[in-house]
């Protein structure tokens, strides 16, 4: 289990390419997350990978099991730049999705219980604004567009978007293998 709660990867992705691909998905309906705790407002997802049958996994935005049968959805197939980002990560990929916290929304303080000891959650901010606050263990994490961050979300965290634009992150659930450990220096 990783002790440190945040680490910035040494990657800076092309923001325009990321944003253009997300804009190209504007015809896609964002699926609102159905969670019992932690989400008080408009938090939604577009699945880029899904377990087995894409259509049978709506709202399945997390790892959920040891199953490695995550397949590309048609949305990922339409996003060559995002696909190239995924190829950089030399590890098993589980859930990959775009997550949107709409303007004026908040994901209240909570823990993500779905990660376990051998998985990490990585964030690539695609759209953000100065009124977004990400608190992890009551400490601010400034996530800028195109950066790449590991965040230990099994610890207490909160996302708030008080801006006039939506917050959209590319979120990757990845196997904590030696390649990832080398980048995280653990």
């Amino acid at each position: 289990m990783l002790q440190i709660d945040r680490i910035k990867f040494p990657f800076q992705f092309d923001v325009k390419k990321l944003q253009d691909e997300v804009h190209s998905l504007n015809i896609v309906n964002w699926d609102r997350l159905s969670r019992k705790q932690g989400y008080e407002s408009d938090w939604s997802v577009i699945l880029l990978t899904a377990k087995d049958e894409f259509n049978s996994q709506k709202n399945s935005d997390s790892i959920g099991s040891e199953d490695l049968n995550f397949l590309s959805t048609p949305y990922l197939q339409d996003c060559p730049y995002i696909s190239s980002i995924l190829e950089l990560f030399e590890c098993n990929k589980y859930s990959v999705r775009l997550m949107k916290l709409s303007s004026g929304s908040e994901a209240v303080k909570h823990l993500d219980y779905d990660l376990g000891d051998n998985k990490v959650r990585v964030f690539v901010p695609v759209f953000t604004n100065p009124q977004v606050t990400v608190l992890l263990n009551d400490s601010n994490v400034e996530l800028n567009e195109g950066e790449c961050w590991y965040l230990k979300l099994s610890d207490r965290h909160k996302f708030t978007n008080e801006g006039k634009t939506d917050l959209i992150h590319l979120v990757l659930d990845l196997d904590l293998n030696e390649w990832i450990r080398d980048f995280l220096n653990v």
Side-chain angles (χ1 to χ4, degrees), residues 136-174:
L136 178 55
N137 293 316
D138 296 319
S139 173
N140 189 53
V141 184
E142 188 174 333
L143 305 174
N144 297 304
E145 293 172 349
E147 294 179 344
C148 185
W149 286 83
Y150 156 73
L151 299 178
K152 186 179 179 187
L153 296 190
S154 57
D155 288 356
R156 190 161 299 283
H157 62 281
K158 171 183 175 177
F159 287 75
T160 305
N161 182 3
E162 296 177 341
K164 296 189 185 297
T165 59
D166 295 335
L167 167 67
I168 299 176
H169 285 170
L170 173 63
V171 181
L172 318 171
D173 288 342
L174 306 171

Side-chain angles (χ1 to χ4, degrees), residues 15 24 28 41-42 57 65 69 77 80 83 109 115 117 133 138 150 153 158 168 173 179 181-183 186:
V15 173
S24 75
V28 175
S41 294
D42 190 8
Q57 295 299 321
S65 75
N69 292 326
Q77 294 166 10
S83 294
K109 276 188 184 177
L115 290 168
D117 291 342
T133 303
D138 296 319
Y150 156 73
L153 296 190
K158 171 183 175 177
I168 299 176
D173 288 342
W179 187 88
R181 286 181 186 277
D182 285 346
F183 272 104
V186 293

